Amino acid sequence: MRSFRLAGVAAALALCLGAAHADSLQQPIVVGTSAAGVQLTSLDLVADAQRIPPEVRAQLQSRTKNLEQQVSNLLARRIVAQQALEQGLDKDPVVQAALQVARDRVLSDMMLERADAAARPSAEQVEGLARNIYAAQPQRFEVPEQVQARHILISGTDAAARAKAHQISKELAAGADFAALAKEHSADTGSAQRGGDLGFFGKGRMVPEFETTAFALKDGQISDPVESQFGLHIIQRTATKPAGKQPFEEVRAALIKEVADGLGRDARAALADKAKAQVQVQPQALETVAGDYAKQIPAEEQAKPAQ
């Protein structure tokens, strides 16, 4: 039912006019020309860039090399389009219909984006709605108990590996520095550079043998060597986060985005649904069109059973 896909070209152009590149958009500059005088402007680049996801658009468009490729592609296409006009291809009924479909898409996208923008309340209202969700759906923000641990991993489980693990355990029991030994001996080179620290984790994140031991330890306690598929671990539990509810500030940004996106999505859907309610399909005409397409299917393809 809600099949409109939004490019947001016009609205995005309007937003960009107030952004960092405002000068080159308010007074578009020529960024490419052809030998015959065909031109491409900075506004053309902005319009084409709407196909790029908003979250990475600025980063990609800030690279001159990317812009050079974009100019080359767009200008080549414009040159060929000019040639098509010179040959009268714009008079072809199918081409005219394609142009109308493209125009409809851009204009409808603009209307949908405007509906989106109009539906977005003030920052204070969005904040209030986000806090309402946080209060009304506490189960969404519950977090289980987490522990922080560090380890020293000895590769293998043979006699030599076990001897090395037990020797390190003795050194730790005698007061040796855990972080220093992790940096020197741990086969987990990633955590070794952090003194063996693995950060906080909940149940289900680590291999069973490691997890069982880490959660059974008390803060500060060091385990005997524990065998897993990776080798032998000497584990120290360093801290605990009890089960509880995430503070609002930790989820605020995500909730604000959820609220804003949801309001805009609902507004776009309402506009699209209102338009779709006016649609009247002509079944007999569609049967004729489908039949014309069917005639183009090779006989051997028609004989194949439907998948």
Side-chain angles (χ1 to χ4, degrees), residues 71-94:
V71 169
S72 177
N73 292 340
L74 288 177
L75 195 51
R77 183 177 290 277
R78 182 161 293 178
I79 290 169
V80 174
Q82 291 279 26
Q83 294 171 356
L85 287 173
E86 292 167 3
Q87 295 183 24
L89 289 182
D90 58 318
K91 303 300 190 293
D92 183 289
V94 173

Side-chain angles (χ1 to χ4, degrees), residues 268-299:
R268 293 194 301 267
L271 183 58
D273 289 346
K274 184 177 180 180
K276 283 175 175 282
Q278 302 177 50
V279 172
Q280 296 181 358
V281 176
Q282 305 298 321
Q284 290 184 337
L286 292 183
E287 288 290 340
T288 300
V289 174
D292 290 340
Y293 272 109
K295 294 173 185 175
Q296 301 175 31
I297 303 174

Side-chain angles (χ1 to χ4, degrees), residues 14-301:
L15 289 174
C16 287
L17 285 171
H21 298 157
D23 290 345
S24 64
L25 298 182
Q26 290 175 347
Q27 296 180 345
I29 58 176
V30 176
V31 294
T33 60
S34 73
V38 179
Q39 293 186 341
L40 198 76
T41 74
S42 53
L43 198 57
D44 293 315
L45 296 182
V46 174
D48 180 62
Q50 304 317 302
R51 59 187 168 77
I52 303 172
E55 59 270 20
V56 297
R57 186 181 303 151
Q59 183 177 8
L60 293 176
Q61 293 298 92
S62 66
R63 299 172 186 169
T64 305
K65 198 163 190 178
N66 291 347
L67 294 179
E68 289 176 357
Q69 185 63 51
Q70 188 183 16
V71 169
S72 177
N73 292 340
L74 288 177
L75 195 51
R77 183 177 290 277
R78 182 161 293 178
I79 290 169
V80 174
Q82 291 279 26
Q83 294 171 356
L85 287 173
E86 292 167 3
Q87 295 183 24
L89 289 182
D90 58 318
K91 303 300 190 293
D92 183 289
V94 173
V95 174
Q96 290 181 344
L99 290 171
Q100 181 63 53
V101 168
R103 184 173 183 273
D104 292 343
R105 182 177 295 115
V106 171
L107 290 173
S108 63
D109 285 347
M110 182 181 71
M111 284 296 295
L112 290 165
E113 285 291 341
R114 282 189 175 182
D116 184 335
R120 291 176 184 261
S122 67
E124 293 77 12
Q125 290 173 314
V126 171
E127 173 94 15
L129 291 170
R131 289 186 179 276
N132 288 344
I133 292 175
Y134 182 77
Q137 303 175 24
Q139 69 282 358
R140 287 182 52 185
F141 311 104
E142 292 175 358
V143 290
E145 179 188 24
Q146 293 181 303
V147 299
Q148 184 179 23
R150 55 184 179 177
H151 77 146
I152 300 170
L153 174 64
I154 306 302
S155 294
T157 57
D158 56 14
R162 293 182 186 279
K164 183 176 181 179
H166 283 290
Q167 177 58 37
I168 293 173
S169 289
K170 288 182 181 179
E171 293 179 27
L172 289 169
D177 183 72
F178 194 104
L181 290 179
K183 290 179 180 178
E184 181 180 357
H185 297 291
S186 183
D188 180 1
T189 55
S191 69
Q193 299 307 308
R194 303 186 298 273
D197 183 38
L198 296 168
F200 280 96
F201 54 89
K203 290 185 177 180
R205 290 278 305 280
M206 302 296 183
V207 292
E209 303 88 348
F210 188 103
E211 177 186 293
T212 298
T213 301
F215 275 86
L217 293 171
K218 296 179 180 178
D219 288 359
Q221 189 176 3
I222 299 174
S223 73
D224 291 329
V226 176
E227 182 178 339
S228 81
Q229 65 195 66
F230 299 106
L232 297 167
H233 308 262
I234 300 169
I235 306 166
Q236 183 181 37
R237 175 166 164 171
T238 55
T240 302
K241 279 185 182 178
K245 184 179 178 182
Q246 288 177 282
F248 176 76
E249 287 305 316
E250 286 187 9
V251 296
R252 177 179 177 275
L255 283 176
I256 284 177
K257 184 177 186 305
E258 178 183 321
V259 169
D261 289 350
L263 291 171
R265 189 166 51 247
D266 291 344
R268 293 194 301 267
L271 183 58
D273 289 346
K274 184 177 180 180
K276 283 175 175 282
Q278 302 177 50
V279 172
Q280 296 181 358
V281 176
Q282 305 298 321
Q284 290 184 337
L286 292 183
E287 288 290 340
T288 300
V289 174
D292 290 340
Y293 272 109
K295 294 173 185 175
Q296 301 175 31
I297 303 174
E300 59 272 19
E301 291 295 326

